[in-house]
Every structure is written in C-alpha cells, then in structure tokens.
C-alpha cells in the first residue's frame, strides 16, 4: 500500500489540534476527573469509528450529496451541544446557590454530568459512562467528522488497491493517533483540577465552557 504517511499524519494532527466540540467535551470532562476525561476521549473516538465505517461503505457519500440529510445531522448535533450547555449553565448556577447557602449543602451537589470524584466505584463508573456518551454523541452528530473521512482520507488512497480497505486502514490509524492525543490532553487538563477546585474559579470555568457549548451549537444552526 503506497500512502503518503507524512502528509496524512500532518493533516490528522492539524485536525486534532484545532479545537472543536469534541475538544471541549474531553477537556471539561478531564478537569472533573481524569477517568471521565479518558472515557469522553474513547467515546469521541468511537463516534469517529461510526463515520469511518460509513465512509468505507459509501454511506457518508449519500449524506454529503443530500443537503437535507446533512442539515438534519447538523441540526441534531447543534441541538445536543445547546442541550449540554443549558444543563451545564443551570448546574453551575445551582452550585453557586448551594455554596452561598452553606458549605454542607454544596458538598452534596452533583454536576451536570454526574459526580466528579468519589472513593466509591459507583459514582466514578457513572461519570465514565456519562463522559463516554457525551463524547460519542458529540462526534456521531458532527457532520464535519463524516466529511473528513469522506473527502480527506480518499486523498491518500492508492488507486491500485481497494479503496474501502485503505480508508479503513487510514481511519483506524487516525483513531489510534486520536486516542494518544486525547489521553495526553487529559493528563494535562487533569493537572488543572486543583486550580479549578476553587469555588469562584470553578464557577467561572463552568459558565465559560457551558456558554461555549451553546455558542458552538447556535453557530451550527446559523450555518445550516
């Protein structure tokens, strides 16, 4: 298989470094708990697997050539991001009220995606499931991810072999690179937990990321 791996790796790395909805989901989850951040990263990459398989069998081509299908996926993704943002804003405001009412009440507050940390397995596992789901749904409903596998990967396919197999191979390599990138990002973001544990800083962080979710979602609606 003759593939321009240098060019392919360059494109993939740029695609990951440029922040998008999945970047925000993973970073926010990582600052809540490293395990939750890794789960969100795996969910995001699993969502990419769906697009990769769709591109390999040609389903993404149908979506790309049908404006109605593309816009529907785009609006669903936008609605989900706005939903995450609104829930996060309400949770942040509720947390602020609880802290103002008394520290004993604030300690029992669960955030928008579930408990951040716990010495028990149940809450942590629940946070992992929630993180994985958010990462997965965010990327599955991201039509730009579908178009990446449909339009970018074929540029590195050798015409002498099976296009589907090569797309599958390159897509798998893309996903593996992404897992390594996300896990490194989670390790960095997790170090901010102590800083973000301060009530005022945490409140500002939650509101900022919440409104970013809403802004990205509304931006997608505006361009639909």
């Amino acid at each position: 298989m003759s593939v321009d791996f240098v060019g392919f790796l360059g494109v993939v790395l740029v695609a990951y470094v440029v922040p998008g909805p999945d970047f925000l989901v993973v970073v926010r989850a990582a600052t809540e708990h490293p395990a939750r951040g890794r789960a969100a990263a795996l969910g995001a990459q699993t969502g990419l697997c769906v697009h990769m398989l769709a591109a390999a069998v040609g389903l993404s081509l149908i979506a790309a050539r049908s404006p109605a299908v593309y816009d529907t996926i785009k609006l669903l993704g936008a609605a989900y991001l706005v939903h995450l943002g609104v829930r996060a804003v309400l949770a942040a405001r509720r947390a602020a009220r609880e802290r103002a009412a008394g520290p004993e009440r604030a300690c029992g507050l669960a955030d928008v995606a579930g408990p951040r940390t716990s010495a028990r397995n149940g809450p942590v596992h629940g946070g992992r499931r929630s993180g994985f789901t958010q990462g997965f749904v965010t990327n599955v409903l991201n039509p730009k991810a579908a178009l990446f596998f449909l339009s970018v990967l074929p540029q590195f396919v050798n015409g002498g072999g099976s296009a589907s197999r090569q797309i599958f191979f390159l897509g798998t390599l893309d996903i593996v690179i992404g897992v390594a990138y996300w896990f490194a990002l989670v390790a960095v973001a997790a170090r901010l937990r102590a800083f973000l544990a301060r009530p005022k800083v945490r409140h500002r962080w939650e509101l900022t990321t919440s409104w970013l979710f809403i802004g990205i979602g509304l931006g997608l609606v505006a361009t639909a």
Side-chain angles (χ1 to χ4, degrees):
M1 185 184 301
S2 177
V3 177
D4 178 12
F5 282 107
V6 175
F8 173 73
L9 292 176
V11 170
V12 169
L13 290 176
V14 169
Y16 278 113
V17 170
V18 175
D22 49 0
F23 180 93
L24 188 57
V25 168
V26 173
V27 170
R28 183 181 173 113
T31 57
E32 292 169 356
H33 194 285
R36 178 174 165 79
R38 289 189 291 269
L42 292 175
Q45 296 309 97
T46 303
L48 290 184
C49 288
V50 174
H51 292 301
M52 177 185 67
L53 293 175
V57 299
L59 295 179
S60 293
L61 183 61
I62 299 176
R65 290 184 175 179
S66 173
V69 174
Y70 180 86
D71 288 342
T72 298
I73 296 175
K74 195 171 185 178
L75 290 174
L76 287 174
Y80 182 70
L81 292 175
V82 172
H83 167 71
L84 289 180
V86 170
R87 286 186 61 193
V89 168
L90 295 177
R93 291 179 176 176
R94 186 168 63 250
R97 289 195 299 268
E98 292 288 342
R99 285 192 292 266
E104 67 281 356
R105 293 182 61 188
C107 290
L109 181 67
D111 74 354
V112 61
R116 297 186 186 113
T117 60
S118 174
R120 300 176 182 178
N121 290 332
V124 174
H125 289 167
R128 288 174 180 170
R129 287 193 295 269
S130 177
F132 182 91
T133 299
Q134 289 188 7
F136 177 78
V137 175
T138 297
N139 263 356
V140 165
L141 295 180
N142 184 0
K144 291 183 179 179
L147 291 179
F148 176 83
F149 281 95
L150 179 66
S151 60
V152 176
L153 292 191
Q155 305 301 319
F156 300 94
V157 170
N158 177 15
S162 170
S164 296
R165 291 182 180 179
Q166 292 181 68
I167 289 176
F168 182 79
F169 171 77
L170 293 174
T172 301
L173 183 59
D174 178 351
I175 291 168
V176 171
I177 292 172
V179 170
Y181 170 77
W182 289 130
F183 275 33
L185 183 65
V186 167
V188 173
R191 293 182 177 274
L192 298 175
R193 292 180 65 208
F195 175 70
L196 292 174
R198 304 173 185 176
K200 290 184 179 180
V201 175
R202 183 77 201 183
H203 182 65
R204 291 172 182 170
W205 165 258
E206 290 175 344
L207 286 180
T208 299
T209 54
S210 301
W211 285 108
L212 282 174
F213 274 126
I214 295 174
I216 294 174
L218 293 179
L220 290 174
V221 172
T223 58

